[in-house]
C-alpha cells in the first residue's frame, strides 16, 4: 500500500471512531491484506458492491454484528475458515471470504 | 533415379529433378518439422533408405508459405499461412521452446469430457518422453517440482495445498531450431535423402484402399514426380495432414482414411487467455523464481495447475496458469508480451542463427504484489471444430484448407471453475487473493476479444483403437491402410494442458519403433 493510501486509510479509521463506533469494534476493519493489496478506494468499491449485492446487510449495525468480536478469534482465522468452507463471494471479480466482504462493506460506510 | 542422386548429395532440391522422376526408398517421411526430422534421425545408419520430403525450402519463402493459406470460419483465428512454417525444420523455426509432459489424467477417458481417452497411458509414453528430451535439448527427464528445488534451492513452490493446486514444471528448450541444429546430421546421413520443394499433393492408394501405392509430388514449375516406399509417414502438422488425406480422394471420394467422416474433425487448440489477477501477500513468499521466466536462460519453471482429483470432482478440463508480474492498471500480457524489446529482438535473431538469445540470469526473484494470470487450458474435443477443404486451390492445384474453430460450454465453464478453486485456495492459505476477469465470471458462452490459441494445432487425425472413432490406431497407423502412419499433434485425442511439441516428438519416437518392426 502506498504511504498516501495508508494515511488515508488510517484517517478513515480515526473518523470511524469519531463517528461513534466504539473503540473495541474498529479492529474488525483492520484486516490489512485487502487494504495492502488493493488500497482503500478499491476496498470501498468492493464494500459498496457487496451492499448492493446483499441489500439486507446494508446496515452498519447489522454488519458490525455479523463480524466476529475481535477478542473472540482473529479475523484472519475466520477468513481462512470461510475459504475452507466455501463461504466466498465474488466482488468485482475478486474472490473474497464473506467475512472480509462484510469488512469491506462496513469500511465503505466510513 | 535414386542411385544417381545418392552419388551427388543427400539433400536434393526437387526443382532440379527431371519431370516425372521416380523417388524410391524404404521409408518415406512427408514433412521435415520436429516430427519428421525426429523420425529421420532415428533411422540414420540403418540399412533402410529414408526419403524425407519437405514442401518448402531450407529457408522462409513466401511462395511456399502461401500454400498454407486457408479460410477461417467460426471463431477468429490466426492466418493459417502464419500459424505454421513451411520450410525445413518446420515451425521449430520460430517456436519458443516450452516443454512439459501430459498428465496421467490427460490420457484417461473422463466421462465429463466427451470423446476423451487415449488408447495408451502416460506410463506407456514415459520411455519416449525420456528419449525426446535430448532431441529438444532439454534437461533430465524430471518434471517434479521438489527435485528441481533440490537442484536449485531458489525454485520454491508456493505453499498451497498440493491436493488442490500444485506446481506443474516446465522445461525450456533453447529453443531447438530443428532445421539448424539437425541440418548437418540429415545432410550427412548416407541413408537419408532430403528433398526440399517436394510438395506431396496426393496419396495414391490401391484399389482396395488397404495400402498406399505411392505419392505425387508437384512443384511450382509444373513438374510432377512420383514417390514409392514400403512405409509412409505423414508428419505435416494437423491442418496439412488432414488436408492431404481429404484431398487424396481419387479412389476414396471422402478422402483417404475418412470412411467414418473423422478426418479433419476434432481440431483443438490450447486456449491461452489473460484470465485474472493475483494480489500476493509478499511477506509470506520468500521468492518467486519458481514462476519466473527469462528467455534463453530459464531451464525450468512452474505454473499452477489443479490436482486431478479436483478436476474430477468439478468435472472440468485440465489447465495451467502462469504468473506474470505487473500492475493493476495495465492490460494483462502473456509471457512473451512481457519480455522487453531487447530480448524479443534477440529472440528474432536467434530464430535466424539457431542460437539462444543472450540474457541476464537472476538468482533471486523477489515477490511482486501483483501478478497477471495467464491461463493455458486444453480444449474439449469437439467434432464440429474441424478442418475441411474449400473449392479454392493453391498454386499447386491442391484445395485450400478451411478452419472452423469451435468451442463448447465445457471450455468456458472450466475457466470459471478453475479460478474459483484457485481463488479459494489462495484465500485459505493466506497467500493472496485472486481476481477473475469479467469474461470468466460470466456464465454465458461468449468469449472475450482476447480469446487466443497457443498456435498449437491438434486432433484432426485422432487416435483410437476403433476405426469408427479414430483415424489412426494406437500405433499411429491409418486404420485399414497397412503402410501409412501419421505422426504429430494431429493424432492427439485430447490436447492436454501443455504445449504439444515434447509429446508429439515422443509419439514420433514410439512410431519409429513400430515401423522398425514392420521394416525389419
Amino acid at each position: 500500500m502506498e504511504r498516501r493510501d495508508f494515511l488515508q486509510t488510517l484517517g478513515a479509521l480515526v473518523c470511524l471512531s469519531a463517528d461513534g463506533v466504539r473503540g473495541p469494534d474498529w479492529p474488525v476493519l483492520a484486516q490489512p491484506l485487502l487494504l495492502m493489496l488493493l488500497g482503500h478506494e478499491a476496498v470501498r468499491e468492493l464494500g459498496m458492491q457487496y451492499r448492493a449485492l446483499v441489500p439486507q446487510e446494508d446496515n452498519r449495525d447489522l454488519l458490525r454484528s455479523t463480524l466476529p468480536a475481535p477478542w473472540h478469534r482473529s479475523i484472519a482465522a475466520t477468513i481462512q475458515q470461510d475459504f475452507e468452507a466455501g463461504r466466498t463471494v465474488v466482488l468485482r471479480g475478486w474472490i473474497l471470504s464473506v467475512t472480509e466482504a462484510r469488512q469491506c462493506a462496513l469500511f465503505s460506510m466510513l | 533415379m535414386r542411385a544417381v542422386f545418392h552419388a551427388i548429395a543427400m539433400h536434393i532440391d526437387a526443382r532440379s529433378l527431371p519431370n516425372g522422376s521416380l523417388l524410391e526408398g524404404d521409408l518415406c517421411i512427408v514433412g521435415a518439422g520436429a516430427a519428421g526430422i525426429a523420425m529421420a534421425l532415428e533411422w540414420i545408419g540403418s540399412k533402410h533408405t529414408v526419403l524425407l520430403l519437405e514442401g518448402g525450402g531450407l529457408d522462409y519463402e513466401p511462395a511456399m508459405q502461401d500454400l498454407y493459406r486457408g479460410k477461417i470460419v467460426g471463431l477468429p483465428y490466426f492466418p493459417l499461412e502464419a500459424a505454421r512454417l513451411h520450410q525445413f525444420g518446420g515451425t521449430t523455426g520460430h517456436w519458443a521452446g516450452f516443454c512439459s509432459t501430459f498428465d496421467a489424467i490427460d490420457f484417461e477417458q473422463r466421462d465429463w469430457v466427451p470423446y476423451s481417452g487415449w488408447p495408451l497411458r502416460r506410463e506407456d509414453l514415459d520411455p519416449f518422453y525420456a528419449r525426446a528430451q535430448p532431441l529438444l535439448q532439454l534437461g533430465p527427464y524430471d518434471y517434479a517440482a521438489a527435485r528441481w528445488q533440490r537442484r536449485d534451492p531458489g525454485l520454491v513452490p508456493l505453499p498451497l495445498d498440493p491436493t488442490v493446486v500444485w506446481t506443474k514444471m516446465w522445461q525450456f528448450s533453447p529453443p531447438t531450431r530443428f532445421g539448424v541444429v539437425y541440418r548437418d546430421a540429415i545432410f550427412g546421413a548416407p541413408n537419408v535423402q532430403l528433398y526440399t520443394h517436394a510438395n506431396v499433393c496426393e496419396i495414391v492408394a490401391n484399389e482396395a484402399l488397404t495400402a498406399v501405392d505411392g505419392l505425387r509430388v508437384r512443384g511450382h514449375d509444373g513438374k510432377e514426380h512420383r514417390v514409392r516406399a514400403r512405409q509412409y509417414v505423414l508428419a505435416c502438422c494437423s491442418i496439412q495432414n488432414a488436408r492431404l488425406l481429404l484431398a487424396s480422394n481419387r479412389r476414396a471420394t471422402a478422402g483417404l482414411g475418412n470412411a467414418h467422416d473423422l478426418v479433419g474433425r476434432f481440431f483443438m487448440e490450447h486456449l491461452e487467455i489473460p484470465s485474472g489477477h493475483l494480489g500476493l501477500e509478499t511477506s509470506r513468499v520468500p521468492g518467486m523464481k519458481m514462476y519466473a521466466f527469462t528467455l534463453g536462460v530459464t531451464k525450468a519453471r512452474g505454473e499452477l495447475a489443479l490436482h486431478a482429483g479436483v478436476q474430477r470432482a468439478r468435472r472440468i478440463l485440465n489447465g495451467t496458469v502462469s504468473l506474470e508480474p505487473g500492475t493493476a492498471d495495465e492490460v494483462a500480457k502473456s509471457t512473451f508480451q512481457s519480455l522487453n524489446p531487447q530480448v524479443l529482438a534477440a529472440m528474432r535473431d536467434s530464430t535466424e542463427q539457431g542460437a539462444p538469445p543472450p540474457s541476464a540470469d537472476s538468482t533471486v526473484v523477489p515477490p511482486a504484489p501483483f501478478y497477471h494470470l495467464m491461463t493455458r487450458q486444453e480444449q474439449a474435443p469437439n467434432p464440429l471444430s474441424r478442418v475441411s477443404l474449400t473449392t479454392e486451390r493453391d498454386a499447386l492445384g491442391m484445395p485450400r484448407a478451411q478452419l472452423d474453430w469451435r468451442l463448447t460450454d465445457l471450455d468456458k465453464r472450466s475457466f470459471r471453475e478453475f479460478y474459483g478453486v484457485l481463488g479459494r485456495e489462495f484465500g485459505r492459505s493466506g497467500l493472496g487473493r485472486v481476481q477473475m476477469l469479467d469474461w470468466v465470471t460470466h456464465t454465458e458462452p461468449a468469449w472475450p476479444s482476447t480469446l487466443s490459441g497457443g498456435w498449437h494445432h491438434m486432433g484432426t487425425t485422432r487416435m483410437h483403437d476403433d476405426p469408427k472413432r479414430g483415424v489412426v490406431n494406437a500405433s499411429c497407423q491409418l486404420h485399414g491402410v497397412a503402410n501409412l502412419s501419421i505422426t504429430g499433434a494431429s493424432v492427439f485425442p485430447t490436447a492436454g494442458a501443455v504445449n504439444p511439441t515434447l509429446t508429439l516428438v515422443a509419439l514420433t519416437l514410439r512410431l519409429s519403433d513400430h515401423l522398425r518392426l514392420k521394416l525389419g
Side-chain angles (χ1 to χ4, degrees), chain B residues 2-3 6 10 23-29 40 43-52 189-195 227-231 519:
Chain B
R2 180 180 55 171
H6 250 303
M10 293 302 111
L23 317 177
E24 289 187 288
D26 297 307
L27 172 64
C28 176
I29 304 164
W43 290 77
I44 290 177
S46 79
K47 64 184 180 185
H48 301 291
T49 302
V50 177
L51 307 177
L52 178 57
N191 65 319
V192 177
Q193 300 172 26
L194 166 66
Y195 290 87
V227 179
R228 199 175 289 157
R230 292 166 61 197
Q231 288 287 333
L519 284 171

Side-chain angles (χ1 to χ4, degrees), chain B residues 250-323:
Chain B
R250 189 184 301 253
R251 290 209 163 100
T253 53
L256 189 59
N258 197 29
H260 301 286
D261 190 22
L262 291 171
V263 173
R265 293 191 182 273
F266 299 96
F267 173 87
M268 296 177 290
E269 250 284 12
H270 288 121
L271 306 180
E272 296 193 5
I273 318 179
S275 312
H277 301 127
L278 168 66
L280 190 66
E281 169 55 291
T282 53
S283 67
R284 302 192 60 177
V285 180
M288 288 292 278
K289 186 177 182 183
M290 172 59 95
Y291 304 95
F293 174 74
T294 305
L295 186 72
V297 173
T298 302
K299 299 297 181 198
R301 83 158 177 187
E303 293 189 358
L304 300 178
L306 297 191
H307 187 273
V310 176
Q311 294 177 48
R312 283 193 191 91
R314 301 262 166 189
R315 301 174 71 78
I316 58 175
L317 298 162
N318 201 356
T320 70
V321 166
S322 65
L323 284 63

Side-chain angles (χ1 to χ4, degrees), chain A residues 41-53 58 63 91-92 96 100-109:
Chain A
E41 272 306 324
V43 168
R44 192 184 307 278
E45 287 173 6
L46 293 175
M48 290 168 67
Q49 197 194 2
Y50 182 78
R51 287 158 55 196
L53 193 69
D58 188 10
L63 282 169
L91 301 177
R92 294 189 182 275
L96 305 177
E100 61 189 349
R102 287 170 173 158
Q103 284 182 294
C104 294
L106 194 53
F107 186 80
S108 72
M109 291 176 170

Side-chain angles (χ1 to χ4, degrees), chain B residues 264-268 379 382-387 404-406:
Chain B
R265 293 191 182 273
F266 299 96
F267 173 87
M268 296 177 290
Q379 175 186 344
N382 176 6
L384 299 178
S385 181
R386 67 183 298 198
V387 172
D404 186 353
W405 184 33
R406 297 197 199 187

Side-chain angles (χ1 to χ4, degrees), chain B residues 322-338:
Chain B
S322 65
L323 284 63
E324 311 297 340
T327 59
D329 57 354
E330 66 181 357
V331 177
K333 296 173 180 173
S334 70
T335 299
F336 297 105
Q337 290 169 325
S338 303

